[in-house]
Amino acid sequence: MHWLYLLLALGALMLALTTHSAGLLALWLLMMAGFLLAWVVGWYRERIGQGSRDEVAMVDPAELLRLRQLAEARRREAAVRQGGDSPPAP
């Protein structure tokens, strides 16, 4: 969508170059500057938006601690089961 602003800015520049009125020249140049600024802002937002992380997928510290404790408990349970399943030593 932001590429449309660039095309509009180029169109306004072409109209500014072909006009004979000073008032219209100022109007077209202001429009060109506005469209060019809108294009830069849109381009910047797209570039920054691609590099940002999804906040919904991030885990808060309390949840991370809970998951670590759960994993540790599972590891201990697996170690106990593995030790209990082996035949007794003579």
Side-chain angles (χ1 to χ4, degrees), residues 10-84:
L10 290 174
L13 178 64
M14 293 307 295
L15 288 171
L17 292 174
T18 59
T19 189
H20 297 292
S21 170
L24 282 176
L25 174 67
L27 177 70
W28 291 124
L29 288 177
L30 283 174
M31 287 179 65
M32 183 204 66
F35 285 135
L36 198 60
L37 180 66
W39 172 70
V40 168
V41 168
W43 177 77
Y44 180 74
R45 284 186 179 171
E46 181 183 340
R47 296 282 296 207
I48 295 300
Q50 290 175 353
S52 67
R53 290 184 271 171
D54 186 17
E55 288 84 14
V56 175
M58 291 175 28
V59 180
D60 62 277
E63 181 70 14
L64 185 60
L65 179 63
R66 188 186 72 77
L67 289 173
R68 284 180 181 162
Q69 290 171 346
L70 186 62
E72 184 63 33
R74 286 183 181 166
R75 269 190 236 117
R76 275 190 247 124
E77 182 181 317
V80 167
R81 263 193 265 142
Q82 197 174 34

